[in-house]
mmCIF file of all heavy atoms in Angstrom:
data_model
loop_
_atom_site.group_PDB
_atom_site.id
_atom_site.type_symbol
_atom_site.label_atom_id
_atom_site.label_comp_id
_atom_site.label_asym_id
_atom_site.label_seq_id
_atom_site.Cartn_x
_atom_site.Cartn_y
_atom_site.Cartn_z
ATOM 1 N N MET B 1 -41.717 -26.963 -0.895
ATOM 2 C CA MET B 1 -42.392 -27.208 -2.184
ATOM 3 C C MET B 1 -42.557 -28.697 -2.279
ATOM 4 O O MET B 1 -41.655 -29.451 -1.966
ATOM 5 C CB MET B 1 -41.394 -26.722 -3.288
ATOM 6 C CG MET B 1 -41.893 -27.077 -4.649
ATOM 7 S SD MET B 1 -40.934 -26.305 -5.977
ATOM 8 C CE MET B 1 -41.508 -24.628 -5.919
ATOM 9 N N GLY B 2 -43.774 -29.099 -2.613
ATOM 10 C CA GLY B 2 -44.077 -30.501 -2.678
ATOM 11 C C GLY B 2 -43.379 -31.151 -3.881
ATOM 12 O O GLY B 2 -42.788 -30.445 -4.770
ATOM 13 N N TYR B 3 -43.401 -32.462 -3.970
ATOM 14 C CA TYR B 3 -42.735 -33.250 -4.987
ATOM 15 C C TYR B 3 -43.356 -32.875 -6.373
ATOM 16 O O TYR B 3 -42.638 -32.594 -7.363
ATOM 17 C CB TYR B 3 -43.018 -34.766 -4.768
ATOM 18 C CG TYR B 3 -42.434 -35.609 -5.907
ATOM 19 C CD1 TYR B 3 -41.062 -35.678 -6.186
ATOM 20 C CD2 TYR B 3 -43.227 -36.302 -6.651
ATOM 21 C CE1 TYR B 3 -40.587 -36.397 -7.220
ATOM 22 C CE2 TYR B 3 -42.793 -37.111 -7.613
ATOM 23 C CZ TYR B 3 -41.498 -37.177 -7.927
ATOM 24 O OH TYR B 3 -40.994 -37.954 -8.958
ATOM 25 N N TRP B 4 -44.701 -32.805 -6.397
ATOM 26 C CA TRP B 4 -45.336 -32.478 -7.732
ATOM 27 C C TRP B 4 -45.176 -31.101 -8.148
ATOM 28 O O TRP B 4 -45.086 -30.820 -9.363
ATOM 29 C CB TRP B 4 -46.833 -32.904 -7.699
ATOM 30 C CG TRP B 4 -46.820 -34.403 -7.766
ATOM 31 C CD1 TRP B 4 -47.240 -35.266 -6.755
ATOM 32 C CD2 TRP B 4 -46.474 -35.330 -8.814
ATOM 33 N NE1 TRP B 4 -47.130 -36.553 -7.111
ATOM 34 C CE2 TRP B 4 -46.680 -36.633 -8.380
ATOM 35 C CE3 TRP B 4 -45.921 -35.047 -10.102
ATOM 36 C CZ2 TRP B 4 -46.286 -37.745 -9.187
ATOM 37 C CZ3 TRP B 4 -45.663 -36.196 -10.943
ATOM 38 C CH2 TRP B 4 -45.893 -37.481 -10.471
ATOM 39 N N ASP B 5 -45.059 -30.204 -7.175
ATOM 40 C CA ASP B 5 -44.728 -28.823 -7.554
ATOM 41 C C ASP B 5 -43.418 -28.773 -8.268
ATOM 42 O O ASP B 5 -43.163 -28.119 -9.274
ATOM 43 C CB ASP B 5 -44.703 -27.960 -6.272
ATOM 44 C CG ASP B 5 -46.060 -27.680 -5.727
ATOM 45 O OD1 ASP B 5 -47.030 -27.647 -6.485
ATOM 46 O OD2 ASP B 5 -46.177 -27.580 -4.522
ATOM 47 N N HIS B 6 -42.446 -29.585 -7.690
ATOM 48 C CA HIS B 6 -41.083 -29.610 -8.230
ATOM 49 C C HIS B 6 -41.154 -30.086 -9.612
ATOM 50 O O HIS B 6 -40.506 -29.518 -10.600
ATOM 51 C CB HIS B 6 -40.347 -30.468 -7.349
ATOM 52 C CG HIS B 6 -39.029 -31.050 -8.070
ATOM 53 N ND1 HIS B 6 -37.880 -30.330 -8.200
ATOM 54 C CD2 HIS B 6 -38.858 -32.278 -8.608
ATOM 55 C CE1 HIS B 6 -36.995 -31.029 -8.807
ATOM 56 N NE2 HIS B 6 -37.522 -32.224 -9.109
ATOM 57 N N VAL B 7 -41.997 -31.157 -9.792
ATOM 58 C CA VAL B 7 -42.040 -31.792 -11.278
ATOM 59 C C VAL B 7 -42.607 -30.750 -12.177
ATOM 60 O O VAL B 7 -42.146 -30.549 -13.296
ATOM 61 C CB VAL B 7 -42.940 -33.073 -11.180
ATOM 62 C CG1 VAL B 7 -43.167 -33.534 -12.533
ATOM 63 C CG2 VAL B 7 -42.149 -34.160 -10.397
ATOM 64 N N ILE B 8 -43.688 -30.149 -11.764
ATOM 65 C CA ILE B 8 -44.306 -29.101 -12.649
ATOM 66 C C ILE B 8 -43.348 -27.970 -12.964
ATOM 67 O O ILE B 8 -43.348 -27.443 -14.046
ATOM 68 C CB ILE B 8 -45.606 -28.653 -12.044
ATOM 69 C CG1 ILE B 8 -46.624 -29.748 -11.987
ATOM 70 C CG2 ILE B 8 -46.258 -27.402 -12.812
ATOM 71 C CD1 ILE B 8 -47.933 -29.388 -11.244
ATOM 72 N N LEU B 9 -42.599 -27.542 -12.030
ATOM 73 C CA LEU B 9 -41.673 -26.467 -12.203
ATOM 74 C C LEU B 9 -40.617 -26.896 -13.238
ATOM 75 O O LEU B 9 -40.375 -26.164 -14.195
ATOM 76 C CB LEU B 9 -40.994 -26.040 -10.897
ATOM 77 C CG LEU B 9 -40.261 -24.674 -10.999
ATOM 78 C CD1 LEU B 9 -40.371 -23.986 -9.615
ATOM 79 C CD2 LEU B 9 -38.815 -24.828 -11.400
ATOM 80 N N MET B 122 -41.896 -21.028 -8.691
ATOM 81 C CA MET B 122 -42.890 -21.368 -9.714
ATOM 82 C C MET B 122 -43.462 -20.215 -10.493
ATOM 83 O O MET B 122 -43.592 -20.236 -11.744
ATOM 84 C CB MET B 122 -44.069 -22.139 -8.993
ATOM 85 C CG MET B 122 -45.184 -22.599 -9.980
ATOM 86 S SD MET B 122 -44.684 -23.983 -10.823
ATOM 87 C CE MET B 122 -45.104 -25.296 -9.598
ATOM 88 N N TYR B 190 -32.539 -22.706 -9.603
ATOM 89 C CA TYR B 190 -33.488 -23.610 -8.944
ATOM 90 C C TYR B 190 -32.744 -24.830 -8.385
ATOM 91 O O TYR B 190 -33.024 -25.426 -7.303
ATOM 92 C CB TYR B 190 -34.683 -23.984 -9.934
ATOM 93 C CG TYR B 190 -35.554 -24.945 -9.275
ATOM 94 C CD1 TYR B 190 -36.394 -24.492 -8.260
ATOM 95 C CD2 TYR B 190 -35.656 -26.288 -9.675
ATOM 96 C CE1 TYR B 190 -37.452 -25.455 -7.668
ATOM 97 C CE2 TYR B 190 -36.506 -27.186 -9.063
ATOM 98 C CZ TYR B 190 -37.356 -26.708 -8.146
ATOM 99 O OH TYR B 190 -38.217 -27.609 -7.495
#
Side-chain angles (χ1 to χ4, degrees):
Chain B
M1 175 172 286
Y3 176 66
W4 287 109
D5 289 326
H6 159 80
V7 173
I8 292 175
L9 194 147
M122 182 74 83
Y190 178 70

